[in-house]
Amino acid sequence: MLAVALLDKTVTFASAHDSARLKDPATLRERTKIHLLPDEELEHLMPLRVAVLEVTLVDGTHSVRRVDNVRGTPENPMTRDEVIDKARDLITPVLGAPKCTNLIDKIFDLEGVVNIRECRSLLQLS
């Protein structure tokens, strides 16, 4: 997945589940540059979700970044726009763009929903 993220500059639900893409020669070339090393010290920190990324560039520049609370955890919450973008990425392929937009609008305006049954049709496949 990191190889795809490097190529695309993002990760989507679709890219994470595209098995053909993961076997693509360009992806495989990127994978040769990546080494995943388990760290037992970080495992002991669970349920905290800590990530450490070390990058060495072609010119030898080395950079390390540790994130103690990955994005989307209570300590590092996503913004409203990030939540909406993630919802669109996950819901649109299943329900379609119009239903996805209507569902998101309803959810962010639950106080204005007179009858919760209004939302049922938005959760069903056509």
Side-chain angles (χ1 to χ4, degrees), residues 11-12 22 25 38 40 49 57 61-62 64 75 85 88-90 95 111 115 119-120:
V11 175
T12 65
L22 296 176
E40 287 188 32
R49 294 173 52 204
L57 302 178
T61 303
H62 185 79
V64 179
E75 297 80 10
D85 289 344
R88 283 190 199 290
D89 180 48
L90 295 170
L95 298 178
E111 295 83 8
N115 187 334
C119 297
R120 183 172 45 186

Side-chain angles (χ1 to χ4, degrees), residues 12-125:
T12 65
F13 184 80
S15 69
H17 293 85
D18 186 346
S19 56
R21 178 77 190 286
L22 296 176
K23 296 173 187 171
D24 179 82
T27 304
L28 295 175
R29 272 192 304 279
E30 289 301 312
R31 283 185 62 192
T32 65
K33 304 172 188 176
I34 299 167
H35 305 282
L36 180 63
L37 303 173
D39 187 330
E40 287 188 32
E41 288 183 31
L42 296 181
E43 293 286 330
H44 294 300
L45 297 175
M46 292 297 278
L48 289 179
R49 294 173 52 204
V50 178
V52 179
L53 180 65
E54 294 188 42
V55 176
T56 304
L57 302 178
V58 175
D59 69 3
T61 303
H62 185 79
S63 182
V64 179
R65 172 114 189 247
R66 176 183 167 130
V67 178
D68 288 321
N69 298 295
V70 298
R71 196 76 172 151
T73 58
E75 297 80 10
N76 188 6
M78 297 188 315
T79 66
R80 178 185 175 122
D81 287 341
E82 289 171 326
V83 170
I84 291 170
D85 289 344
K86 184 173 184 176
R88 283 190 199 290
D89 180 48
L90 295 170
I91 297 170
T92 298
V94 178
L95 298 178
K99 266 192 179 179
C100 177
T101 297
N102 289 339
L103 180 60
I104 290 169
D105 291 345
K106 289 278 187 202
I107 288 171
F108 279 105
D109 185 36
L110 279 179
E111 295 83 8
V113 175
V114 177
N115 187 334
I116 198 65
R117 289 185 178 146
E118 295 174 34
C119 297
R120 183 172 45 186
S121 66
L122 297 173
L123 296 168
Q124 296 173 329
L125 297 174

